């Protein structure tokens, strides 16, 4: 056993089975070896004679004696160090024994003290219950008041009749205990119950912030399908009647007053409230994702926006299932996902629809379905049997497994009644009840002392609770304890201070209850985390099924082709730029000249019609002009006609023509591309083109006008110019003649040849006095007048066409041939204007337009680009299906990572 003990001593006080097994094996092996050696030795010994045997014995005895002497001396020497070590260790052993004895005595003292305090607490509760019962039996007698009077009048010993009431005896027995426990509780509260409302919420640090991650997953699933009851994670649904303090509970959790309040049912839509804890952030901000409003710091604006979004529901409908999404970020809020529903009503108002009550119930039933957690808000001054929230929660959750009861307005009832409500067994809930006070009384806000149940008949300090503070707490005192730049609302600060002092003064009564807003926050965090965690695996299965279906559709419809709104936009813009490049190649100087020449040709025809073709002296031009008066007359007329053409503002006119032509052609290009279905980009392209053209509009117009200025005073024509102008003039006259004849034939066919001749004859003879007798209508007379005009114009055009063909061979006959001269001037103006239009306007436009278009497109945000892409139904389907697939993959990836962490965490716990 010696080797075994030494080995065990080396291994420690608790050797393992393997160590013991190895030591035993070595010991047994050594023993067997000794036995074998001994047997081996005796098997070869020789037999001895008696004399030899005696001599052998004597010799061995002397040797053994010497060995024993040496061995004993060695053992004696080896004992001295051991004895010295034990002597040195003796004080340490003695000190350890004394320390253990002291610890045991302290433990017993502490245990005895706790037992005594528990007994005193039970006795105190018994005395309070006795007082309440006596007050109920004798409603006209106040026991505490009676006790005070007895103490003052009789020295605290006897009543006037010499008897001592039982309640007074119980109160006297617990006076010292109450003073001691109150002093101890005050000391503990001063240390432990500091103003934690200004501290950052650190509850999210547990379990690697799984709640925040699961809330992110829930937000992702809402983006996939917000109407799905299965494709989601649990949320906390807040229900209650309109006067239960539902909004105040939410505001106390957030620490800001932001929910709209009013008498005309201001909550008409569900409010999906997401609280996000942002560590190291000193600000509290709000976001409205659906309205694309972010980083709102003024919560008055938040309240206003919520009011506007709720009031947008018509009064005829009263409620809507379309939720309002609100996200609040702060370092002082926990990670929670809440849904605020419209409050239950008992009866519809006169201006409300008759089905309002049933609509609210149907809306609430939609959100109360599993796996959501129900937060049933009830007021303490209303019997729980009449609680609308508990009734709805009972219908949706009969077993009460996922319902949390919240009792508000506890300060409106006695603490004992409040405690009984929180611990009631008549309406049991698996998750229990939490009591809160979300609004401080008006007197507390005004800085005065607070006497509960202070009315006209009971204003003394000996009320059931008396002055719960014992001193006055003013607003300034409360504010001085908090930072002046606190992001919390003043109302929330006062409510928090009142709630803290109320539960502090009644700590004994609420010792077995869950009370305070802080406790409610912690409970909601834990329950939401557990509920979401339990729903991860079934939700993961549903997401996997949805992902498989979506992937199949994406493969069948779009062949797994990736398409983003930005790539779709850039592809279409590239096609547009390519078309504009082709347009630039086609829009040459000749094309530009033809556009301008066509418009100026019409101006020439208008001048000829106004100054020549209506002149009754026009036949004079067919003969040789010998009279100076006639020559001067037609020469001045030609100068006026030429001046009218050169001074119409060729620079501005030609610039407008070119810009309008470019914009029109650009519109045609847009109509030929996929951009024709996207009004947003069409407007952006057109506005960009207009801006680029406007930058050169005035300078180009001025340049063209300055270049044609010499033609306003003198025009030199060569024979070649005259010949080309004569040919072009004949062409124009023929086209005008053909139009007149065609229009005349149209009128003749519509009216009739005979009737038209009769009307024309009547009008030519000026038979206005016979209009009624002939039965001609006003329209018929108008058609007849047009036919006469066209007939005369046709005659004039035929006359001028013959003149141009037979004469007008040189510029010396320009007075007799104004058509040729004006066309020659037109050609000069057009050629000069085109030269500068091409250099100043077109070149600049085709160079700067793509650059400016890229700049404009760069200013579009992602939402505008996505809106542009979704204007096309097919593209919208492609993007939505692809986005759904990506969101499902992201949600599944996050869930899988959390599940892996949970499994590893459980395995670590088992170890």
């Amino acid at each position: 056993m010696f080797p075994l003990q030494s080995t065990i001593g080396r291994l420690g006080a608790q050797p393992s089975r393997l160590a013991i097994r190895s030591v035993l094996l070595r010991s047994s092996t050594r023993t067997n070896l000794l036995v074998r050696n001994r047997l081996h030795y005796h098997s070869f010994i020789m037999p001895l004679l008696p004399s030899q045997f005696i001599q052998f014995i004597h010799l061995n005895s002397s040797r053994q004696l010497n060995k024993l002497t040496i061995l004993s001396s060695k053992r004696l020497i080896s004992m001295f160090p051991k004895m010295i070590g034990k002597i040195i260790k003796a004080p340490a052993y003695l000190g350890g024994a004394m320390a253990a004895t002291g610890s045991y005595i302290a433990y017993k003292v502490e245990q005895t003290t706790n037992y005594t305090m528990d007994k005193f607490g039970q006795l105190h509760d018994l005395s309070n219950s006795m007082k309440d019962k006596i007050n109920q039996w004798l409603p006209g007698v106040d026991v505490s008041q009676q006790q005070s009077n007895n103490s003052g009048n009789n020295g605290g010993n006897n009543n006037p009749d010499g008897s001592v009431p039982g309640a007074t005896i119980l109160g006297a027995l617990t006076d010292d205990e109450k003073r001691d426990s109150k002093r101890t509780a005050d000391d503990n509260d001063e240390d432990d119950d500091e103003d934690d409302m200004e501290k950052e919420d650190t509850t999210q640090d547990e379990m690697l912030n799984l709640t925040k991650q699961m809330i992110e997953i829930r937000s992702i699933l809402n983006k996939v399908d917000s109407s799905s009851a299965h494709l989601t994670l649990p949320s906390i649904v807040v229900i209650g009647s309109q006067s239960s303090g539902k909004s105040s509970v939410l505001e106390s959790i957030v620490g800001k007053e932001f929910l709209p309040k009013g008498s005309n049912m201001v909550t008409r839509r569900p409010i999906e409230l997401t609280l996000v804890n942002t560590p190291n952030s000193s600000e509290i901000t709000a976001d409205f994702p659906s309205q694309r409003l972010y980083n709102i710091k003024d919560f008055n604006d938040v309240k206003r926006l919520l009011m506007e979004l709720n009031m947008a529901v018509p009064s005829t409908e009263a409620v809507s299932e379309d939720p309002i999404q609100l996200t609040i970020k702060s370092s002082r809020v926990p990670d929670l996902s809440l849904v605020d529903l419209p409050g239950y009503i008992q009866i519809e108002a006169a201006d409300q629809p008759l089905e309002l009550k049933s609509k609210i119930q149907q809306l609430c039933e939609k959100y109360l379905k599993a796996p959501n957690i129900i937060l049933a808000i009830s007021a303490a001054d209303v019997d729980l049997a009449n609680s609308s929230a508990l009734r709805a929660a009972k219908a949706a959750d009969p077993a009460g497994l996922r319902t949390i009861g919240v009792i508000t307005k506890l300060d409106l009832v006695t603490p004992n009644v409040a405690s009984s409500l929180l611990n009631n067994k008549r309406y049991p809930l698996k998750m229990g009840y939490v009591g809160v006070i979300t609004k401080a009384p008006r007197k507390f806000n005004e800085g005065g002392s607070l006497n509960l149940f202070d009315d006209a008949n009971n204003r003394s300090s000996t009320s059931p609770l008396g002055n719960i503070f014992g001193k006055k707490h003013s607003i300034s005192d409360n504010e001085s304890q908090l930072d002046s730049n606190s992001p919390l609302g003043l109302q929330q600060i006062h409510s928090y201070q009142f709630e803290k002092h109320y539960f502090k003064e009644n700590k004994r009564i609420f010792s077995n209850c869950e009370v305070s807003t802080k406790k409610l926050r912690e409970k909601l965090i834990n329950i939401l985390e557990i509920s979401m965690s339990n729903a991860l695996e079934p939700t993961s299965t549903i997401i996997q099924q949805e992902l498989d279906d979506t992937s199949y559709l994406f493969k069948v419809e779009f062949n797994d082709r990736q398409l983003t709104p930005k790539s779709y936009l850039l592809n279409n813009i590239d096609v547009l730029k390519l078309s504009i490049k082709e347009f630039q190649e086609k829009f040459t100087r000749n094309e530009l000249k033809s556009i301008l020449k066509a418009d100026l040709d019409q101006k020439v025809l208008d001048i000829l019609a106004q100054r020549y073709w209506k002149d009754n002296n026009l036949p004079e031009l067919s003969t040789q002009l010998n009279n100076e008066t006639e020559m001067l007359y037609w020469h001045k007329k030609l100068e006026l006609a030429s001046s009218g053409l050169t001074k119409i503002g060729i620079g501005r006119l030609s610039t407008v023509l070119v810009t309008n032509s470019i914009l029109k052609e650009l519109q045609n290009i847009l109509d030929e591309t996929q951009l024709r279905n996207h009004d947003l980009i069409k407007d952006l392209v057109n506005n960009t083109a207009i801006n680029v053209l406007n930058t050169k509009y005035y300078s180009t117009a001025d340049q063209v006008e300055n270049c044609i200025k010499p033609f306003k005073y003198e025009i030199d024509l060569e024979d070649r110019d005259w010949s080309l102008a004569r040919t072009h003039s004949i062409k124009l006259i023929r086209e005008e003649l053909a139009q007149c004849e065609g229009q005349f034939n149209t009128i003749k066919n519509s009216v009739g040849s005979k009737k038209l001749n009769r009307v024309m004859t009547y009008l030519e003879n000026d038979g206005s006095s016979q209009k009624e007798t002939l039965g001609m209508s006003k329209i018929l007379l108008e058609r007849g007048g047009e036919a006469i005009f066209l007939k005369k114009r046709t005659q004039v055009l035929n006359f001028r066409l013959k003149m141009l063909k037979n004469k007008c061979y040189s510029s010396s006959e320009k007075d007799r041939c104004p058509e040729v001269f004006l066309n020659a001037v037109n050609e000069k103006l057009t050629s000069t204007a085109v030269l500068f239009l091409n250099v100043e306007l077109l070149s600049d436009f085709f160079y700067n337009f793509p650059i400016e278009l890229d700049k404009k497109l760069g200013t579009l945000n992602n939402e505008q680009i996505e809106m542009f892409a979704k204007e096309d139904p097919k593209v919208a389907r492609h993007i939505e299906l692809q986005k759904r697939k990506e969101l499902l993959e992201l949600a599944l990836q996050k869930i899988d990572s959390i599940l892996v962490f949970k499994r590893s965490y459980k395995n670590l716990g088992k170890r």
Side-chain angles (χ1 to χ4, degrees):
M1 294 300 292
F2 179 75
L4 176 61
Q5 291 176 352
S6 63
T7 305
I8 291 175
R10 288 195 303 269
L11 293 175
Q14 295 181 353
S16 63
R17 295 180 179 179
L18 181 60
I20 295 173
R21 191 182 303 125
S22 62
V23 172
L24 290 176
L25 182 61
R26 291 197 300 270
S27 177
S28 61
T29 304
R30 183 179 301 173
T31 304
N32 294 333
L33 183 59
L34 292 174
V35 173
R36 287 197 303 269
N37 292 336
R38 189 180 301 118
L39 291 175
H40 178 74
Y41 174 76
H42 286 289
S43 63
F44 290 96
I45 190 169
M46 297 297 292
L48 298 175
L49 297 175
S51 60
Q52 293 177 341
F53 178 76
I54 294 171
Q55 186 180 0
F56 174 76
I57 292 298
H58 177 74
L59 181 60
N60 287 339
S61 298
S62 61
R63 289 178 179 176
Q64 291 294 330
L65 182 61
N66 293 332
K67 289 182 179 180
L68 289 174
T69 303
I70 296 171
L71 182 61
S72 61
S73 62
K74 289 182 178 180
R75 287 182 178 178
L76 182 61
I77 294 173
S78 63
M79 287 176 60
F80 284 105
K82 294 182 179 179
M83 293 176 62
I84 295 173
K86 289 182 179 181
I87 293 172
I88 294 174
K89 294 180 180 178
Y93 293 153
L94 181 61
M98 293 177 65
T101 304
S103 300
Y104 178 76
I105 294 173
Y107 167 73
K108 286 298 182 181
V109 170
E110 182 180 2
Q111 188 176 14
T112 304
T113 304
N114 293 337
Y115 177 79
T116 305
M117 295 297 293
D118 292 339
K119 291 301 180 182
F120 278 147
Q122 295 176 4
L123 185 60
H124 181 226
D125 295 340
L126 178 61
S127 65
N128 289 335
S129 62
M130 290 295 295
K131 288 180 183 180
D132 294 337
K133 289 183 179 180
I134 293 174
N135 288 334
Q136 293 176 0
W137 295 339
L138 301 174
V141 179
D142 192 339
V143 175
S144 58
Q145 179 67 29
Q146 183 180 0
Q147 180 181 351
S148 177
N149 293 336
N150 293 339
S151 178
N153 298 333
N154 301 314
N157 296 325
N158 296 318
N159 283 331
D161 57 357
S163 63
V164 179
T168 305
I169 294 174
L170 292 174
L173 290 174
T174 58
D175 282 343
D176 295 337
E177 182 273 329
K178 285 191 293 183
R179 285 194 296 270
D180 295 340
S181 63
K182 185 176 186 301
R183 189 181 302 110
T184 304
D186 290 343
D187 294 340
N188 294 334
D189 290 340
E190 291 296 331
D191 297 335
D192 300 334
D193 195 13
E194 298 294 336
D195 284 345
D196 56 350
M197 199 172 187
E198 280 294 307
K199 298 178 182 179
E200 293 188 359
D201 194 292
T202 58
T203 54
Q204 81 284 354
D205 294 334
E206 301 178 1
M207 296 291 289
L208 294 181
N209 201 1
L210 292 182
T211 305
K212 178 178 290 186
Q213 297 181 41
M214 289 185 284
I215 290 177
E216 291 178 358
I217 295 173
R218 187 180 186 277
S219 301
I220 293 173
L221 295 178
N222 284 339
K223 293 178 182 178
V224 175
D225 188 0
S226 59
S227 62
S228 176
H230 304 286
L231 198 65
T232 185
L233 288 176
S235 182
I236 299 175
V237 181
V238 185
I239 58 172
S241 61
Q242 290 188 1
S243 59
S244 61
K246 177 168 58 68
S247 299
S248 299
V249 170
L250 293 175
E251 290 177 344
S252 65
I253 294 175
V254 175
K256 278 287 188 179
E257 187 176 356
F258 65 97
L259 291 173
K261 301 178 181 64
S263 59
N264 190 23
M265 189 178 176
V266 293
T267 304
R268 302 184 179 185
R269 297 169 59 183
I271 301 176
E272 296 182 354
L273 177 61
T274 302
L275 303 182
V276 179
N277 185 275
T278 54
N280 304 323
S281 175
S282 60
E283 295 179 338
I284 177 169
T285 59
D287 300 336
F288 288 87
S290 299
Q291 284 70 36
R292 297 180 176 88
L293 299 174
Y294 302 97
N295 201 28
I296 302 175
K297 299 180 181 179
D298 189 353
F299 272 70
N300 291 324
D301 295 337
V302 176
K303 182 184 291 187
R304 177 181 55 81
L305 287 170
L306 287 174
M307 177 68 76
E308 292 176 356
L309 293 172
N310 278 290
M311 291 296 105
V313 180
S315 57
T316 55
E317 298 180 8
V319 293
S320 171
E321 295 185 358
D322 185 21
I324 301 173
Q325 295 178 353
L326 173 60
T327 302
I328 296 179
K329 301 177 181 179
S330 173
S331 60
R332 295 171 178 83
V333 298
D335 292 306
L336 287 176
S337 177
L338 305 164
V339 180
D340 182 24
L341 296 176
Y344 289 101
I345 62 172
Q346 300 299 326
I347 188 172
E348 298 85 359
D351 58 343
Q352 293 175 341
L354 298 177
E355 65 275 9
L356 175 59
K357 184 177 180 180
S358 61
K359 280 187 174 182
I360 295 176
Q361 291 177 351
Q362 293 173 2
L363 176 61
C364 293
E365 288 174 359
K366 175 184 175 182
Y367 281 91
L368 294 181
K369 295 179 181 179
N372 285 342
I373 305 301
I374 304 173
L375 194 66
I377 311 293
S378 303
D381 57 343
V382 177
D383 192 353
L384 293 183
N386 299 324
S387 173
S388 302
L390 289 178
R391 187 184 306 114
K394 184 71 174 178
D397 181 26
L401 299 178
R402 52 187 182 89
T403 303
I404 306 173
V406 178
I407 309 298
T408 61
K409 306 179 183 180
L410 291 181
D411 56 318
L412 299 183
V413 297
T414 62
N416 290 323
V417 174
S419 177
S420 64
L421 289 174
L422 297 175
N423 293 318
N424 80 90
K425 303 300 181 183
R426 296 183 60 189
Y427 311 101
L429 298 176
K430 184 69 174 179
M431 298 181 182
Y433 291 83
V434 181
V436 296
I437 300 175
T438 56
K439 280 190 177 181
R442 182 174 56 86
K443 290 186 177 180
F444 183 79
N445 291 338
E446 292 174 353
S449 62
L450 180 62
N451 290 322
L452 298 181
F453 314 107
D454 189 13
D455 53 34
N457 298 325
N458 185 15
R459 303 181 64 88
S460 66
S461 61
T462 56
S463 61
L465 290 179
N467 191 336
I468 66 172
F469 299 118
K471 63 178 181 178
K472 294 184 179 181
H473 292 270
S474 63
I475 294 179
S476 59
D477 294 337
N478 295 329
E479 290 175 349
S480 64
Q481 301 174 7
L482 299 171
D483 184 61
S484 60
N485 297 324
S486 171
L488 304 175
L490 186 61
Q491 179 66 32
Q492 280 68 37
I493 295 174
H494 293 158
S495 301
Y496 171 74
Q497 292 287 347
F498 175 77
E499 181 189 55
K500 183 183 71 173
H501 286 289
Y502 180 88
F503 292 128
K504 174 181 175 182
E505 292 295 327
N506 299 281
K507 188 174 183 179
R508 290 290 183 188
I509 300 177
F510 294 105
S511 60
N512 297 326
C513 305
E514 292 183 306
V515 292
S516 78
T517 303
K518 181 181 178 181
K519 183 64 179 178
L520 177 61
R521 286 156 58 111
E522 295 174 354
K523 191 179 186 71
L524 293 179
I525 293 170
N526 295 331
I527 291 176
L528 183 62
E529 180 178 326
I530 294 172
S531 302
M532 284 186 169
S533 179
N534 294 335
L536 283 178
E537 291 191 6
T539 304
S540 176
T541 304
I542 297 175
I543 292 176
Q544 186 63 56
Q545 295 175 356
E546 290 288 335
L547 179 58
D548 293 340
D549 296 340
T550 305
S551 300
Y552 175 76
L553 291 176
F554 191 64
K555 176 69 175 178
V556 171
E557 296 184 17
F558 304 105
N559 197 24
D560 285 338
R561 181 172 60 88
Q562 297 294 320
L563 178 65
T564 62
K566 190 170 185 178
S567 64
Y568 175 73
L569 172 63
L570 295 178
N571 289 337
N572 283 277
I573 295 300
D574 290 341
V575 173
L576 175 64
K577 290 180 179 179
L578 182 61
S579 300
I580 293 175
K581 186 67 176 177
E582 295 175 354
F583 166 62
Q584 179 183 1
E585 295 174 356
K586 295 178 181 179
F587 200 72
T588 59
R589 184 180 298 181
N590 293 331
E591 184 71 19
L592 180 61
K593 183 178 180 180
S594 63
I595 294 173
L596 184 57
K597 190 74 165 59
D599 190 79
L600 292 180
D601 285 344
Q602 189 61 44
K603 297 292 184 184
V604 170
L605 293 175
D606 293 340
I607 293 174
L608 290 172
Q610 183 180 3
R611 294 189 176 275
Y612 286 93
W613 296 344
K614 293 181 180 180
D615 195 333
N616 295 327
N617 297 323
L618 185 62
E620 296 178 359
L621 295 177
S622 60
T623 61
Q624 189 68 29
L625 297 176
N626 296 322
N627 189 351
E628 293 183 1
T629 304
E630 293 178 354
M631 293 175 61
L632 182 62
Y633 172 79
W634 293 110
H635 183 73
K636 291 294 184 183
K637 185 178 283 289
L638 183 61
E639 288 183 351
L640 291 174
S642 176
S643 176
L645 182 60
T646 58
K647 294 181 180 180
I648 59 175
I650 297 297
R652 180 170 52 86
L653 177 64
S654 59
T655 306
V656 170
L657 282 174
V658 174
T659 53
N660 289 339
S661 299
I662 293 174
L663 294 176
K664 185 177 180 180
E665 187 62 27
L666 185 60
Q667 185 65 38
N668 294 334
I669 293 174
L670 289 172
D671 292 339
E672 293 176 358
T673 63
Q674 292 184 358
L675 295 175
R676 61 181 176 273
N677 300 322
H678 305 287
D679 294 334
L680 175 66
I681 300 301
K682 285 175 63 177
D683 294 340
L684 186 143
V685 171
N686 287 326
N687 292 334
T688 304
I690 291 173
N691 292 335
V692 173
L693 291 172
N694 283 338
T695 57
K696 287 290 185 177
Y697 175 81
Y698 294 103
S699 61
T700 304
D702 293 341
Q703 286 285 349
V704 173
E705 197 68 33
N706 292 332
C707 291
I708 66 167
K709 188 176 292 185
F711 300 121
K712 297 180 181 180
Y713 306 102
E714 183 178 1
I715 300 175
D716 296 330
L717 297 177
E718 298 179 356
D719 294 339
R720 181 176 177 275
D721 297 333
W722 183 266
S723 177
L724 293 175
R726 178 173 174 272
T727 303
H728 188 68
S729 298
I730 294 174
K731 179 182 177 182
L732 286 179
I733 297 299
R734 285 177 175 175
E735 292 177 355
E736 187 71 13
L737 180 60
Q739 291 180 4
C740 290
E741 292 176 348
Q743 188 66 23
F744 181 82
N745 292 330
T746 301
I747 295 174
K748 184 172 66 174
N749 294 332
S750 62
V751 176
S753 179
K754 293 183 179 180
K755 184 183 290 187
L756 183 61
N757 290 331
R758 187 166 60 250
V759 173
M760 292 174 62
T761 303
Y762 169 76
L763 292 175
E764 289 174 351
N765 294 332
D766 195 16
S768 59
S769 60
Q770 303 178 4
K771 289 180 183 179
E772 298 298 333
T773 57
L774 294 178
M776 298 180 183
S777 63
K778 183 178 181 180
I779 296 177
L780 184 61
L781 294 175
E782 290 178 355
R783 294 289 183 271
E786 293 176 2
I788 293 174
F789 171 79
L790 292 173
K791 182 180 178 181
K792 292 181 178 180
R793 177 60 59 86
T794 302
Q795 293 175 354
V796 171
L797 292 174
N798 284 322
F799 166 70
R800 294 306 302 167
L801 184 59
K802 291 180 180 179
M803 179 71 181
L804 293 174
K805 288 180 178 180
N806 299 326
K807 299 180 181 181
C808 303
Y809 290 107
S810 64
S811 59
S812 59
E813 296 180 331
K814 61 181 182 180
D815 293 337
R816 300 175 58 192
C817 304
E819 295 88 354
V820 180
F821 180 76
L822 292 178
N823 272 287
V825 174
N826 183 10
E827 181 67 21
K828 292 285 186 181
L829 296 175
T830 303
S831 300
T832 306
V834 166
L835 178 63
F836 286 92
L837 287 172
N838 186 61
V839 173
E840 294 289 333
L841 189 64
L842 291 183
S843 299
D844 180 80
F845 172 78
F846 288 120
Y847 175 77
N848 289 320
F849 174 71
I851 299 175
E852 294 297 324
L853 182 60
D854 290 338
K855 291 181 180 179
K856 290 287 185 180
L857 293 174
T859 61
L860 296 177
N861 54 36
N862 294 332
E863 295 174 356
Q864 291 176 322
I865 296 175
E866 184 175 355
M867 187 185 302
F868 148 75
K870 290 184 176 180
E871 288 177 349
D872 190 334
K874 186 176 180 180
V875 177
R877 169 67 177 171
H878 191 161
I879 293 176
E880 289 175 357
L881 199 60
Q882 177 179 316
K883 186 177 181 180
R884 179 184 178 88
K885 180 174 176 290
E886 292 174 352
L887 290 174
L888 289 172
E889 290 174 347
L890 179 61
L892 189 62
Q893 179 183 356
K894 288 182 174 291
I895 290 179
D896 289 342
S897 63
I898 295 177
L899 291 176
V900 170
F901 170 77
K902 284 182 60 180
R903 296 188 187 100
S904 61
Y905 189 80
K906 289 182 180 179
N907 295 333
L908 185 61
K910 291 179 180 179
R911 294 178 183 176

